[in-house]
Amino acid sequence: MTFPKNFLWGGATAANQCEGAYVSDGKGLSTADVMLGGDKDTPRRITDGVLEGSYYPSHVAIDHYNRFKEDIALFAEMGFKTYRMSINWARIFPNGDEEEPNEAGLAHYDAVFDECQKYGIEPLVTLSHYETPLGLQAYGSWTNRRVIDFFLRYCETVFTRYKGKVRYWLTFNEINCMSISPWLAGGLPLESDEQARMTAAYHQFLASALAVKRAHEIDPENKVGMMYAGVVSYPASCDPKDIEANEDFMRSMLFYPDVMCRGYYPRYKLREFERTGIVLPQEPGDDEILRAGTVDFLSFSYYFTLVCGKKTKDAGLNVGTFNTGYTNPYLKESPWGWAIDPYGLRYILNLFYDRYQIPLMVVENGLGMYDTVEADGSIHDQYRIDYLREHIQAMGDAIDIDGVELMGYTTWGCIDLVSAGTGEMKKRYGFIYVDVDDEGKGSFERSRKDSFYWYKKVIASNGADLS
Ligand code: BG6
């Protein structure tokens, strides 16, 4: 298999899922800091502020905030070319709406980027990964157009401060999750109606487009991507009714990259808005903003494929369950019910490349599993190696056979971290084990799993040795 010469191999994390230190050095609360833990059968509850005596996974997480040097050294030992991470907006603007940034927050990420630079690791930075300053609730979060200005102030601050240190940026993590889990995607209540979600998404599109423009102006070296939750589904059968229902579902997801990669809303979505009475809060000049701020590349997460059909409309699709009313009888599932489908990765890579012809990056992929620590401390996670191997093979096929332009691959949760969907620690993705449990108890010590040594070999051989 031939991966491009400068292929960006690495791993990915998100601030609220790994940093902890939730009020250190002037950080404000974010939407993630009021989410209690759950499990695969119990959705995470969002509380009204921080309740005393309750455990919130983001408050401690894996203490990456204080241990980032040790963690980055381990990434470097695996040979990472890139580290995808996010800046926690509430560290820079604690309430979200301040005029001036918090210097201590900025200094922290300076130290993180310096550490990456020390090992020649290229940071890939998500500006908003499933957290919005909680202070912006007072404005109605992303339903309010003013939030665009607050976000841009934050973007300009970090683009300027980290000029020369960071060249790769992503605007909103899994932006299409506004339609599935609006609290994660933009700090909107879960029960938000379609009008509120579409208003918030519209504002995020504008914010992203303006951020792309500013990033290029501040440093022409900057490359800014969008980030799509790799939701892709197969029709339940060849019954045209199933095909139609699957198409409807896919369009409810794909209009997000359509807007961000093409610079305008697709006609099918505008027609739908007409039918359903959704009104976009358009102002003069908005169309030009969207057109001028298309992304440089499209990145996405990929874990599983779904099946959709006639029953899907009535099923309860949310980030925890992704219940579409169907399961795929041809695929095995993880203990969390996610259907393992390496071919689906080649499928979605082709879908995107056919649709937009811009460079792609897989910025999340991995297997969340229960790991067992043996008496001697070793962790034999062959299941994870098998999963990753097959997905890397699928990427190789998309490059070699189909000619897809792929820039890089960052596995999700390269170090164990808190699950976004369930708040658990025991749903582990890492090459690096972290000794902490679902209540935040443990030594926080890091140790290498079998997959650590395997991935090191994969990177050293540029994907040629997957054995
Ligand atoms: C993606 C998110 O949806 O999937 C991550 O961008 C998340 O934040 C990852 O952690 C895996 O999902 P989960 O629910 O297993 O953590």
Side-chain angles (χ1 to χ4, degrees), residues 96-298:
D97 60 355
E98 293 89 343
E99 296 282 335
E100 296 302 324
N102 169 31
E103 175 55 33
L106 287 168
H108 170 74
Y109 293 106
D110 260 325
V112 172
F113 300 138
D114 289 346
E115 206 59 20
C116 289
Q117 210 165 33
K118 184 164 128 192
Y119 298 105
I121 296 175
E122 186 89 55
L124 163 61
V125 176
T126 317
L127 290 154
S128 176
H129 190 130
Y130 279 178
E131 58 197 335
T132 310
L134 203 61
L136 297 181
Q137 290 298 302
Y139 297 86
S141 197
W142 280 100
T143 58
N144 188 329
R145 194 170 171 115
R146 285 187 68 190
V147 173
I148 300 177
D149 294 334
F150 301 142
F151 179 73
L152 275 180
R153 189 178 300 157
Y154 157 60
C155 291
E156 289 188 358
T157 303
V158 297
F159 292 156
T160 307
R161 174 78 171 222
Y162 306 125
K163 183 175 172 179
K165 291 188 181 182
V166 180
R167 287 188 304 155
Y168 292 97
W169 303 90
L170 304 176
T171 50
F172 296 96
N173 182 64
E174 301 197 327
I175 190 164
N176 48 318
C177 276
M178 187 60 81
S179 293
I180 302 173
S181 186
W183 182 258
L184 288 178
L188 264 65
L190 290 179
E191 59 283 0
S192 300
D193 62 17
E194 191 63 3
Q195 178 64 61
R197 292 175 196 227
M198 291 304 104
T199 298
Y202 182 72
H203 290 149
Q204 289 195 343
F205 290 146
L206 288 173
S208 176
L210 289 163
V212 170
K213 189 162 166 277
R214 283 305 284 138
H216 291 161
E217 283 163 2
I218 290 170
D219 185 352
E221 292 285 298
N222 276 328
K223 299 268 178 245
V224 189
M226 70 154 295
M227 201 302 199
Y228 174 86
V231 177
V232 58
S233 73
Y234 303 132
S237 77
C238 51
D239 176 349
K241 292 241 162 12
D242 282 334
I243 307 281
E244 187 187 15
N246 186 54
E247 183 69 6
D248 279 353
F249 172 73
M250 281 310 295
R251 282 178 160 180
S252 75
M253 296 285 111
L254 287 175
F255 88 89
Y256 288 87
D258 281 352
V259 175
M260 299 175 89
C261 299
R262 295 175 176 155
Y264 53 89
Y265 276 73
R267 289 172 71 101
Y268 63 81
K269 200 67 194 170
L270 296 175
R271 284 276 196 270
E272 182 195 308
F273 288 157
E274 276 167 30
R275 279 195 306 277
T276 53
I278 301 289
V279 180
L280 296 179
Q282 281 171 308
E283 291 190 4
D286 284 1
D287 287 352
E288 290 69 27
I289 292 174
L290 291 181
R291 278 183 202 272
T294 54
V295 288
D296 299 315
F297 64 98
L298 189 172

Side-chain angles (χ1 to χ4, degrees), residues 14 17 84 129-130 173-174 227 301 303 319 338 364 412 417-422 427 429:
Q17 293 170 256
R84 176 183 174 222
H129 190 130
Y130 279 178
N173 182 64
E174 301 197 327
M227 201 302 199
S301 60
Y303 296 92
V319 146
W338 289 9
E364 287 185 31
W412 176 248
L417 38 61
V418 172
S419 157
T422 69
K427 187 181 187 191
Y429 287 88

